Amino acid sequence: MEILKGTAAWLKLRAGRRFAGRTVGFVPTMGALHQGHLSLLRRAKAENAIAVASVFVNPTQFNDPKDLQRYPRTLGADAKMLREAGTDFLLLPSAKDMYPDGYRYRLGETTESRLLCGACRPGHFEGVLTVVLKLLNLVRADRAYFGEKDYQQYRLISGMAEAFFLRTEIVPCPTLREPDGLAMSSRNRLLEPRERALAPALNRVLSSKAGPARIKKELAALGFKPDYVEERWGRRFAAAKLGKVRLIDNVEI
């Protein structure tokens, strides 16, 4: 696996002969990797000649500075996992690389980005769409892979790619779960032991036959602080805080 720090070396490499006539699969991440990320990478590797991953903790998608500070950073372990999973190239851009304009230019969406997590986290999806557009333009992948745990994010990125005529196919991948049903997430490692024991109840209650209002009450009774429970796009979505950690999940209905 080749590791490229910054964007200049990558752009030079990407324009070279090594990529000529070869398909590229891309998995953008913010690090703190888990088996869910690796499942995306393995699929990218299986479906393309070259597998590329990036690790960049994107500051513009955090509406809470404390949340940005708390976000886990485990680059050494991440690189080891990606190498063992067969990644060909790991891109490590800096904030200066990604935002040479100081974030003066940004991308927004006016409808779905204001729902669910967008209603609770102002500016979040603006930051997500902006950084993903930049990464897709940098990598010029044939396919990019996104997990369905962040289903709203996947919908927005897929819609953006279509609206802006991007050549990259946006590929959704199923949510991976722990044996107890908790959706795999980088934030899970921030849970206290008592919170981690309770966390699987989010998926269990969300998957019940109760309606959104009842589910929200049940989560609150268990000790969660729900942001929302809503049904859209053939799925039921929930976001709730457990201690200082915000968890999200969704299930098909």
Side-chain angles (χ1 to χ4, degrees), residues 184-244:
M184 291 184 180
S185 170
S186 300
R187 296 178 185 273
N188 291 349
R189 67 186 70 194
L190 300 176
L191 293 165
E192 298 292 340
R194 179 188 62 81
E195 296 165 348
R196 176 61 186 83
L198 177 59
L202 176 62
N203 178 255
R204 185 173 66 252
V205 176
L206 190 63
S207 301
S208 71
K209 295 182 179 180
R214 176 64 181 273
I215 290 172
K216 196 170 184 179
K217 288 181 180 179
E218 289 187 24
L219 289 172
L222 287 169
F224 292 86
K225 294 182 179 178
D227 281 343
Y228 62 79
V229 178
E230 296 185 27
E231 294 178 353
R232 296 181 183 275
W233 313 311
R235 292 178 181 247
R236 181 181 292 152
F237 296 82
K241 284 187 177 179
L242 200 51
K244 296 180 179 180

Side-chain angles (χ1 to χ4, degrees), residues 83-113:
R83 183 178 291 108
E84 292 174 351
T87 308
D88 296 297
F89 298 96
L90 172 57
L91 180 59
L92 301 175
S94 68
K96 288 184 178 180
D97 291 319
M98 297 305 297
Y99 297 106
D101 59 316
Y103 199 42
R104 288 191 302 120
Y105 297 95
R106 58 189 70 181
L107 180 63
E109 190 274 349
T110 61
T111 305
E112 292 189 6
S113 64

